[in-house]
Structure formats: C-alpha cells, structure tokens
Amino acid sequence: METKTKISGAEAFIRSLLHEGVDTIFGYPGGAIMPVFDALYDFDKHVNHILTRHEQGATHAAQGYARVSGKVGVCLVTSGPAATNAITGIGDAMMDSTPMVVITGQVGAALLGSDAFQEIDVVGITQPITKWAYQIRKAEDIAWAVARAFYIARSGRPGPVVLDFAKNAQFEKIDFDYKPCTFIRSYIPIPEVNTDQIVAAAALINQAKKPFALVGQGVILANAEQELKAFLEKGNIPAAWTLLGSSAMSTDFTLNKGFLGMHGNVGPNLKTNECDVLIAIGMRFDDRVTGDLSRYAKQAKIIHLDIDISEINKNVKVDAPVLGTAKETLAALTEKINTASHSDWIESFKEYEEREFEKVIQKEIHPTTAEITMGEVIRKVSEATNNEAILVTDVGQNQMMAARYFNYTKTRSMVTSGGLGTMGFGIPAAMGAKIGAPERTVCMFAGDGGFQMTIQELGTIMQEQIGVKMIILNNHFLGMVRQWQEMFFEERYSFTKMQNPDFIAIAKAYRIEGTEVSARENLDAAIADMLKDDKPYLLVVNVEMKGMVFPMIPTGASVSDILLG
C-alpha cells in the first residue's frame, strides 16, 4: 500500500485503515470529515462503507460487527453533534470491552479553541470512556496514530479508541509510510502468566468439595472456549455464565448450569452462596451478578482469572488472583488440577432446576393463558433456527427473557448492551452483526420502546438489504420499568404505558416485509415465514401487557433472596 508520491492526509488515513485489515466502516459524512469521505470514494472496492441514519446507529453497528467477527469495529463521523451522538456507543463499548475505533472530524488546527462552527472538545469528552483518545493535528501523525489506535483497541482487554481528525491534516500532503504498532512503552496489554498464581489457584480447586465457575465474556474475547471446556471437564466443575458470557458454553453442555444475576437461574445464584471455591473467569463481579456484596459468597475461597489487574479486588476480595488472558491461564490451570468427580454437588443443582421449571419456566414457554408470552416467542424462534442463530437484543424485559430462553450451539452468538444497558442498541447492533457474520441468521429482539429509539436505522437495512430478522415483543409498555413500578412503587404506572404506531406499516414504508401476530395459533407460521429466506423481516408479536421476568433478585438484596414470583 506504500506510495512514493505525496498523497493527502485523507488518503493516507484510508490506506492506514486498509493496512489494519479494515473491510467495513459504519458512518455518516459531514463537513469536517468530508476530505476523508472524498478519499473513500476511490477505495470502494477495498472497503465497504455502510451509511447509517444516525451516528449512534453507526457506533452500535460497529459494536455488533466487532462482537461477532472478533475484528475491530470502525465508525467514521463528522465533528460537533456527530461526535456527541457517538458518545453513547463509545461508552457502551467501553463498559462491554468491545474493540472499536471511532474517527471524528474536527475543525482545522488553526481554529481550535475558537468555538468554530461544529467544534467541540472531543478528546476531553471521550477520554474517560475510551482506552485512548487522540487528536490528529498534522498529516505526518496519521499513520502513527492509526497504528497505535488499532493496537490499543484490540490488544489486552479490548475497548474503544477515538481519533479526532483536524480538517487541515486531511488536506495536507505527505509521503506515506505505514508501520504497524506492536509495542507501547508502559502499556502491558497481556500480563505474563505467574506460575505461583496458577499453583495457588490449583491448590484451592484440588481441595474443593463444591467448586463453582462463573464464566464471563473474557473467555469469548480470548477465544478460550475450548480451554474452558477442557478445564471444566477435567475438574468436573459446574459453571454458570454472565449476560455477556452467553454462548461461551453451548446450552446443552452438561456442566452448563445456566444464567447468573438479577434475572438469572435459581440454581446458579443460590449455589454462589453454597460453594466452597468460586472460580471467576473473565468477569468483573458486576452488581447485577453479585447483589449485596456484604452477603456475596462469604463462605467461599475466591479465584479470579482476569486480564485486567484493575478488576482484581475491585468489587470482591479474592484469595487467589490469576492474571493473564483466559486462553493461557485456563490451559495452565488445567494442567495443574486433578481429575475430579463432584457428582453429589452437581446433582444438588437439580432440585433448584426442577423448582424453577415448575414455578417459572413451564408457565413462560408453555403458557396455558390465552395471551402470548415473551418466553414462548423467544424459545420458538431459537428452536426454529436449530439454536444456531446469533441473538441480538435491545434492553429491558426483552433482553432478560432472551438471555433466559434463547439457546446456543455456537460461540459469539449473543450481542447485547450489558454494562450501559442502552435502549436503542438492538436494531443497529443487529445490522453490524449480520455484516460481520453474513452466513449466519441474526435474530434481534426488542421491546416496543427500545425499537422506536433507533427506528430510523430501518433505512440503512433497506438501502443495504441487510437480512436481519427483527422481532418486536410488543406489550404497549416500557416493560421493565413497569415491572419495577408494579413490584416496588405500588403499581403507580407513571409514564410507562405506550401508544404505538403501526410498526408493520412503517416497515412497509421502508420496503421491509413483515407481519403482526396476536393469536398463538398464528405464531409458528409467522416465524417460519420470517426465516424462509435471508431478507430483512419484521415480526411484531403482541404479548401479554403485564408479563413479569422472574426469577428476580431485588436491588440491594442478596443472591440468596431470589424471588420466583
């Protein structure tokens, strides 16, 4: 890609992206980034630009692309309001450790600090929510900045990087020479595995009578799914997963005991406070998983495998920290642990599984009431795809129900907004997921509220013919808020009931096929129709208005205080 003649900074920037293997960019043009878009015009055979309908949509699409492909998502927007529109996606990516490079346009260097048209301090705003934020003021810094940005975004614990690109640097002419970045002084993305830590953790596991593993997204980010399976099987250790750890284990894996957290399964939550050794793998002890920290796993010795030293002892004091990438640390730990049998301990999960099935699951996926439930829709869609689809969710009841009732046979099959909980995430993230894994079926579940937050991205789906399958679980409420109002605010439904538009008519206006279902007898046929080809489709299912997501651990309660209804 090198050239001996001088080229513009804008072209140098595109060539730099190509050196980093970028094949897809999500973006929206504007004045301060126009030279880059002009240069992009000549590279349309090398890179696919997806014109989203809003900059937030571009960031979420880049997240979805990154999460399923394992590549760095790239987002290209202009200055001022475009940059601030991207903030939500940047923050979301930071919370969920998603590798992403966001390029924002900026006024020329001579105008910086003058309150010029559409000038805003992008670096100042984004520094707290990025791994690195840098302003490119001179064309000679472009190749260096891009190489550094991609190295930081993808290495170690992944995350977002912002490059704020002054307009003068886009015009300036330079000799282009690109050198990949492989090292930054004082930045150690992957800690060296410490043998003493491995030995100490293995000793605790070998002494354990009731070991229990908590599986987070760190396993997926490290491509350590096979190492995880080998570790669990050798130690015969039951395991549960966090929201972002979904699909690190297949649903039918015998040691997979389910979903942790506020709306997780009963067994994994209660067993957290019964185990004698708790092994946290690539997870950060989020409050939705731990509940009241003063009553969390106090009986257990705690082992924490993580790539990020700042997570060790941040929320939960651990007895044996193990630093490094999960792929290395799990393999090293597996060598040191004994082949074990914990059959009685594993068998003890069954009592909780049976109780939860009887009191919650059976009623949700095989309801006897006339109204359709969210859980039955989700399970039917999952089964209709042979449990091989990528699940994308918005945020709210739809998200928790999907996490509970969608099944997986493949890794990198769950895309959701975990840490930030961003309503409106679903549609654009599904677009990115489908582009990142075009050979796979992508099913996106949203509530009627979240769907309308980024509904304009139906225009992107139309223009690019992105074959996402969108399912609105329509209960005419902001469902999760309504559930809390019912349980904790004396049924005072303050501004949560929604009057909704004709979603199918809107989809039709965007030339997207769809259908609406209100009766159970029509549901199977509608799902089959949705999945018959690879075209975009909207299925609106009118579900029970006051459905509840159970089990539930109330805010501030212990994991042992989980409610079944």
Side-chain angles (χ1 to χ4, degrees):
M1 291 293 178
E2 285 76 8
T3 178
K4 293 182 179 179
T5 58
K6 288 185 181 292
I7 61 174
S8 71
E11 183 178 341
F13 190 81
I14 300 301
R15 289 181 179 274
S16 297
L17 295 182
L18 293 176
H19 271 279
E20 290 295 336
V22 173
D23 55 21
T24 303
I25 298 172
F26 302 91
Y28 203 100
I33 201 67
M34 204 172 293
V36 173
F37 272 91
D38 183 67
L40 192 57
Y41 189 84
D42 295 323
F43 289 87
D44 62 332
K45 292 182 181 178
H46 301 279
V47 62
N48 181 27
H49 180 272
I50 305 297
L51 175 65
T52 60
R53 296 307 188 259
H54 191 281
E55 293 86 0
Q56 181 183 348
T59 57
H60 293 330
Q63 288 176 268
Y65 173 90
R67 293 269 284 276
V68 302
S69 70
K71 300 177 183 178
V72 177
V74 180
C75 180
L76 180 64
V77 302
T78 193
S79 63
T84 57
N85 283 345
I87 297 299
T88 298
I90 295 168
D92 197 298
M94 188 66 176
M95 290 284 279
D96 287 352
S97 302
T98 302
M100 180 166 71
V101 173
V102 177
I103 304 102
T104 61
Q106 185 55 275
V107 301
L111 291 173
L112 289 169
S114 69
D115 289 335
F117 178 66
Q118 291 192 333
E119 178 194 1
I120 199 160
D121 182 3
V122 173
V123 172
I125 292 171
T126 59
Q127 271 184 330
I129 54 170
T130 54
K131 287 187 74 176
W132 186 53
Y134 180 78
Q135 189 173 73
I136 303 173
R137 298 185 182 185
K138 299 179 295 182
E140 64 192 58
D141 293 338
I142 290 169
W144 171 86
V146 171
R148 191 179 176 98
F150 276 81
Y151 176 63
I152 292 171
R154 68 162 67 100
S155 62
R157 181 180 182 173
V161 169
V162 167
L163 293 177
D164 191 39
F165 200 177
K167 195 169 184 179
N168 63 288
Q170 300 172 43
F171 281 117
E172 290 167 6
K173 299 288 186 178
I174 54 165
D175 294 314
F176 178 68
D177 181 32
Y178 194 82
K179 293 182 177 64
C181 179
T182 58
F183 171 79
I184 298 172
R185 190 175 63 183
S186 79
Y187 173 57
I188 304 173
I190 301 177
E192 188 175 345
V193 177
N194 183 312
T195 303
D196 291 341
Q197 291 180 342
I198 296 293
V199 170
L204 288 178
I205 294 169
N206 289 335
Q207 294 165 13
K209 303 298 183 187
K210 299 178 180 180
F212 187 31
L214 312 183
V215 177
Q217 188 189 201
V219 170
I220 297 169
L221 294 174
N223 299 312
E225 294 88 348
Q226 291 306 312
E227 287 78 6
L228 172 69
K229 186 177 181 183
F231 168 73
L232 296 175
E233 288 181 334
K234 184 176 181 182
N236 204 24
I237 300 168
W241 38 270
T242 68
L243 180 64
L244 293 184
S246 304
S247 81
M249 302 178 284
S250 63
T251 304
D252 61 0
F253 178 48
T254 54
L255 293 169
N256 182 349
K257 296 303 175 184
F259 179 31
L260 292 161
M262 178 176 279
H263 292 288
N265 296 115
V266 174
N269 281 299
L270 292 181
K271 291 299 184 180
T272 301
N273 278 357
E274 294 179 25
C275 66
D276 58 4
V277 173
L278 191 66
I279 309 155
I281 309 167
M283 54 87 73
R284 59 189 178 85
F285 288 112
D286 172 73
D287 65 291
R288 291 295 170 105
V289 166
T290 65
D292 180 6
L293 283 168
S294 69
R295 292 182 283 164
Y296 182 77
K298 292 302 178 183
Q299 79 295 337
K301 295 291 186 181
I302 298 178
I303 301 166
H304 192 178
L305 283 67
D306 210 283
I307 198 170
D308 186 354
I309 194 170
S310 71
E311 291 296 341
I312 304 297
N313 294 319
K314 185 179 80 174
N315 294 327
V316 173
K317 182 171 173 36
V318 304
D319 299 281
V322 179
L323 287 170
T325 175
K327 196 170 188 70
E328 291 184 78
T329 55
L330 280 170
L333 199 53
T334 303
E335 287 186 12
K336 298 289 185 185
I337 65 171
N338 299 330
T339 301
S341 175
H342 300 291
S343 54
D344 289 345
W345 167 238
I346 292 169
E347 185 71 18
S348 70
F349 279 79
K350 282 191 177 179
E351 174 192 349
Y352 298 123
E353 290 167 359
E354 290 169 359
R355 190 197 314 170
E356 183 178 351
F357 185 83
E358 178 188 349
K359 293 187 175 296
V360 179
I361 297 173
Q362 171 88 343
K363 298 172 184 177
E364 188 64 39
I365 62 174
H366 300 298
T368 56
T369 58
E371 293 179 300
I372 300 172
T373 64
M374 290 188 183
E376 70 174 309
V377 179
I378 292 159
R379 181 59 60 86
K380 282 178 178 290
V381 171
S382 181
E383 291 175 348
T385 65
N386 296 316
N387 302 322
E388 294 179 347
I390 292 171
L391 166 67
V392 181
T393 83
D394 208 85
V395 168
Q397 285 186 318
N398 66 90
Q399 178 187 35
M400 293 296 100
M401 286 293 197
R404 287 181 54 79
Y405 296 112
F406 207 84
N407 293 332
Y408 311 101
T409 56
K410 299 178 180 180
T411 189
R412 291 190 180 272
S413 293
M414 167 59 143
V415 181
T416 194
S417 173
L420 202 60
T422 304
M423 288 181 69
F425 179 86
I427 302 175
M431 299 183 329
K434 182 62 177 176
I435 292 168
E439 74 287 355
R440 297 187 65 185
T441 300
V442 174
C443 296
M444 190 283 299
F445 289 90
D448 41 314
F451 191 84
Q452 292 180 79
M453 285 194 169
T454 48
I455 197 170
Q456 70 276 357
E457 296 306 334
L458 293 178
T460 309
I461 292 170
M462 171 186 68
Q463 183 167 337
E464 299 291 336
Q465 278 299 291
I466 305 170
V468 295
K469 308 303 181 181
M470 299 169 284
I471 304 100
I472 299 177
L473 301 172
N474 185 11
N475 59 9
H476 300 277
F477 267 105
L478 297 176
M480 188 61 84
V481 185
R482 183 210 57 76
Q483 177 167 336
W484 282 50
Q485 288 172 335
E486 181 167 329
M487 294 180 68
F488 309 119
F489 291 88
E490 299 176 341
E491 300 184 23
R492 292 159 58 88
Y493 301 126
S494 179
F495 302 103
T496 47
K497 188 168 175 55
M498 299 193 76
Q499 182 174 341
N500 291 318
D502 184 337
F503 290 113
I504 299 302
I506 292 172
K508 185 177 180 181
Y510 283 103
R511 297 191 280 283
I512 295 171
E513 288 186 43
T515 192
E516 184 170 359
V517 173
S518 297
R520 180 170 289 113
E521 57 266 25
N522 300 326
L523 184 57
D524 289 342
I527 292 171
D529 197 44
M530 174 179 71
L531 297 171
K532 68 183 179 184
D533 55 35
D534 201 38
K535 295 178 182 177
Y537 195 97
L538 176 64
L539 173 61
V540 179
V541 184
N542 295 311
V543 297
E544 56 181 342
M545 292 184 70
K546 293 189 176 182
M548 305 285 275
V549 187
F550 284 113
M552 181 179 182
I553 302 168
T555 302
S558 164
V559 292
S560 297
D561 297 329
I562 191 166
L563 304 174
L564 285 169

